[in-house]
Amino acid sequence: MKVEYDRDTCIGMFQCVDEWEGFEKNVDDGKADLTDAEETDDGVFVREVPEDAEFDAKFAARVCPVEAIRILDDDGEQLVP
């Protein structure tokens, strides 16, 4: 399972930070950062989700008010809208 984060879409509500430690608050930019992620496209970051963090990662995606976070299965299909 992977998480895909569109940082350009982020509006800095930081709800994801409260739900999963994979996100950190970047107060200087007013946006969240996805830790240990690789930038795959301009402003889009991807990383694997550890098995023990799957629930929290999914919840972080669900609470994002602008849907900047997507959870994808190993085939690239979106699990959480």
Side-chain angles (χ1 to χ4, degrees), residues 7-43:
R7 193 168 190 274
D8 292 337
T9 300
C10 177
I11 60 171
M13 295 296 292
F14 302 119
Q15 291 173 325
C16 58
V17 173
D18 292 336
E19 300 305 331
W20 182 37
E21 64 186 24
F23 285 98
E24 293 180 344
K25 209 180 261 193
N26 184 326
V27 179
D28 293 335
D29 290 347
K31 296 182 181 266
D33 288 331
L34 180 60
T35 60
D36 301 321
E38 176 184 332
E39 189 169 11
T40 59
D41 200 4
D42 190 32

Side-chain angles (χ1 to χ4, degrees), residues 28-61:
D28 293 335
D29 290 347
K31 296 182 181 266
D33 288 331
L34 180 60
T35 60
D36 301 321
E38 176 184 332
E39 189 169 11
T40 59
D41 200 4
D42 190 32
V44 178
F45 296 84
V46 177
R47 71 168 270 193
E48 291 288 329
V49 177
E51 280 188 39
D52 63 345
E54 289 180 357
F55 178 82
D56 292 340
K58 287 178 184 177
F59 205 75

